[in-house]
Amino acid sequence: MPTHRRDVRRTSRSRRRWPAVMGFLALVAAAGLLTVYALSQTTGASGSPRPVDRESAETVLPREVPQIDILGDSYVAGSAEGGTGAENWTKLIGSRFNDRGQQVEMNIMALPGSGYLARGSTGQVFREAATLRLRPTADVVLVFGSRNDGRQTEQGMYQAAKSLYADIHEIAPEAQVVAVGPVWVDANVPDFIAANNVAMARAADEENVRYVDALAEGWFAGQEEGLIGADGIHPTDAGHTYLAAKILPLLDEMVQDVTPAE
């Protein structure tokens, strides 16, 4: 009797397993049919591979987006007199690139009241901000200003500018660097601002930095009215439009060197 019960149990278990086995075999058969169908879609009637549509299969790589880093004072940041939000000259330049169908990535390092040696509201000089925030991958770096440096020794101004330019080359070794010197609101430029400008230009020449002498070019010293606000220092919205018109050609020329051809 014990033996008979064991045989019954084995038979019962075998019957329960049979539907599971049949289900597994059905899945194997279905997988085989799917494989045959897939092969039929990738081969022609002769069994040879179908031609590949290279245009649809080709991976489309995104174009490189030039990176522009801009370092400067309140002329870059904007002020209560103008140049806030979309009216800032950096924003205007970005929009003009975009309107032409060319994207750029702009990194704005604005330090109101600061300069090569002057510490403004952020407590930093240009060189410190560059060390902390300049992108190593930058393609173009523009330094703007600064009239905030005030009265300095020729050697002190020269050394501060030279150190900043050298640091920029070290941090972003592939970048083209341009420095726009201090600007004044009219043609009556103080002697110490003119002296600082000369020291910056000498440092730029030695460090392979393109230098724009805004004083010699007479930025803001022409007959245009309404470019400087009531405080007698900062540009209005019209002044920022004026700056955009001055600086866009500089950046445009430099960006063309890093933009892949279509």
Side-chain angles (χ1 to χ4, degrees):
M1 290 297 290
T3 302
H4 175 70
R5 279 197 289 269
R6 282 196 298 270
D7 290 342
V8 170
R9 288 172 187 151
R10 280 197 298 269
T11 301
S12 177
R13 284 195 296 270
S14 298
R15 287 174 179 170
R16 286 196 298 269
R17 283 197 299 267
W18 184 247
V21 172
M22 291 299 292
F24 174 74
L25 292 175
L27 289 173
V28 171
L33 289 173
L34 288 172
T35 301
V36 171
Y37 175 77
L39 290 173
S40 72
Q41 299 304 301
T42 57
T43 59
S46 64
S48 59
R50 292 180 184 273
V52 176
D53 184 350
R54 294 188 180 278
E55 290 187 3
S56 62
E58 186 176 301
T59 301
V60 179
L61 297 176
R63 285 170 50 84
E64 178 186 355
V65 178
Q67 295 184 338
I68 302 173
D69 284 25
I70 297 176
L71 172 62
D73 53 23
S74 56
Y75 272 58
V76 173
S79 71
E81 301 298 328
T84 59
E87 301 303 320
N88 187 277
W89 67 263
T90 64
K91 298 285 189 180
L92 294 173
I93 285 177
S95 295
R96 290 174 191 177
F97 273 115
N98 188 62
D99 290 344
R100 294 187 321 210
Q102 179 173 14
Q103 291 183 319
V104 294
E105 292 180 358
M106 301 182 78
N107 173 32
I108 310 302
M109 297 168 281
L111 298 96
S114 291
Y116 290 78
L117 290 164
R119 296 181 183 276
S121 59
T122 66
Q124 295 177 332
V125 297
F126 285 176
R127 187 182 181 192
E128 292 166 343
T131 300
L132 293 172
R133 298 168 56 190
L134 183 67
R135 292 179 292 187
T137 53
D139 296 300
V140 176
V141 178
L142 184 145
V143 182
F144 187 100
S146 169
R147 59 176 282 163
N148 295 321
D149 286 306
R151 195 175 299 278
Q152 304 290 340
T153 65
E154 190 278 337
Q155 183 60 26
M157 192 73 248
Y158 159 78
Q159 192 58 55
K162 187 175 177 67
S163 297
L164 172 63
Y165 303 150
D167 282 358
I168 291 173
H169 283 311
E170 183 175 353
I171 296 167
E174 300 300 319
Q176 300 179 68
V177 186
V178 56
V180 177
V183 298
W184 202 250
V185 298
D186 54 35
N188 301 315
V189 181
D191 290 344
F192 60 88
I193 295 294
N196 289 349
N197 181 60
V198 171
M200 294 175 195
R202 180 161 73 93
D205 181 63
E206 293 179 5
E207 291 296 328
N208 193 30
V209 168
R210 179 176 178 178
Y211 193 78
V212 177
D213 190 336
L215 297 179
E217 293 185 9
W219 289 23
F220 291 103
Q223 299 301 312
E224 301 93 337
E225 295 183 1
L227 301 183
I228 299 297
D231 66 356
I233 298 173
H234 296 99
T236 59
D237 287 347
H240 276 262
T241 299
Y242 173 89
L243 284 172
K246 291 287 189 183
I247 296 172
L248 178 59
L250 295 172
L251 296 180
D252 198 22
E253 178 184 339
M254 301 173 87
V255 163
Q256 298 314 311
D257 293 337
V258 298
T259 302
E262 293 283 2

